[in-house]
Amino acid sequence: MTRTEEQWNADVVENVHQVLRDGDRNAETPTTSLSSITQPSDTLFSSCIDHTLLKPDATPAQIDVLCDEAIRYGFKSCCVNGTHVKQVADRLKSSTATAIPCAVIGFPLGASTTAVKVFEATDAISNGAREIDMVINIGLLKSKSYSAVFEDIHAVAQACQSQSIPLKVILETVFLLDEEKVAGAFIAAEAGAAFVKTCTGFNGGGANKEDVGLLYNAVRYKNGEVKVKASAGIRSFEKCVEMLRAGAERIGTSSGAKIVQNANPSEATGSY
């Protein structure tokens, strides 16, 4: 359904009101299969980790290590910048791994044009990406240009859906007020996102359980069709558990191997 700007404003205001009506960021206690995880050795835990390396100085050798760790520990994906997607896809394909390649687009500012984001997504998918994480246009959201935010996300979602690729939408919550977080999550859900995600980690701040709970409640009207990914600043199993109990069903972290190794100290070597 095509909405006018006035309709978008009315629908966003209604959704924000419903989520924040009691001033309670956890209006509903999340109940997911992951909220019962108590040990990092649980296979459900490893299967919710997006093993991440997005540093600008990441080398091909480091990308290989990322892939090997994802294979070893059974992580869900290797999340990388577009330039590394083909390398990741080839290395994972050569193994019996269940891990998949994931690419970020519009990263980390979200300020690319929609056409560029669509091209990035299409290019990453052609190189083997099986999930896409995109950064929204933060300025448009903050200026309440809801129709433009929707069109930006929807265009990328359509490019992904044509190849049956899930899209995760990064809201960059560090820049947003609570009502803006709810608005962004609602618009992303309406635009076809499979996940709404907290942060890039490149602009300060990070994920917290309050924001995860807020996003969970913002998209729960979709009855599980849209999930929450917590990302940025998650470096311990305890922090992961916080996120999962708040409603996250995916964790983005560059510390996945270290978290699992701490549960198996004999495997831990060096620092990461």
Side-chain angles (χ1 to χ4, degrees), residues 59-103:
T59 66
Q62 290 172 326
I63 295 296
D64 280 344
V65 171
L66 184 83
C67 293
D68 292 345
E69 289 172 342
I71 294 166
R72 180 173 187 176
Y73 297 115
F75 294 141
K76 175 64 179 181
S77 80
C78 290
C79 187
V80 296
N81 286 297
T83 190
H84 300 300
V85 170
K86 189 175 187 307
Q87 178 185 347
V88 169
D90 289 346
R91 195 165 185 92
L92 294 179
K93 189 185 299 182
S94 68
S95 74
T96 58
T98 57
I100 59 175
C102 173

Side-chain angles (χ1 to χ4, degrees), residues 28-37 43-50 75-77 131 168 194-198 207 209 211-213 215-217 219-220 222-231 234 239-253:
E28 181 175 286
T29 301
T31 53
T32 72
S33 61
L34 303 176
S35 58
S36 61
I37 290 173
T43 54
L44 275 178
F45 175 66
S46 58
S47 68
C48 77
I49 298 294
D50 283 346
F75 294 141
K76 175 64 179 181
S77 80
E131 290 186 342
K168 309 190 203 88
F195 284 81
V196 290
K197 176 178 170 182
T198 54
K209 63 181 181 181
D211 283 345
V212 169
L215 300 186
Y216 175 87
N217 283 306
V219 300
R220 63 190 169 94
K222 284 288 190 177
N223 298 313
E225 181 183 330
V226 182
K227 304 179 189 304
V228 178
K229 176 176 173 179
S231 185
I234 303 173
K239 184 80 168 180
C240 291
V241 168
E242 273 191 9
M243 301 300 106
L244 296 174
R245 290 180 179 172
E249 295 190 55
R250 193 73 68 84
I251 302 290
T253 178

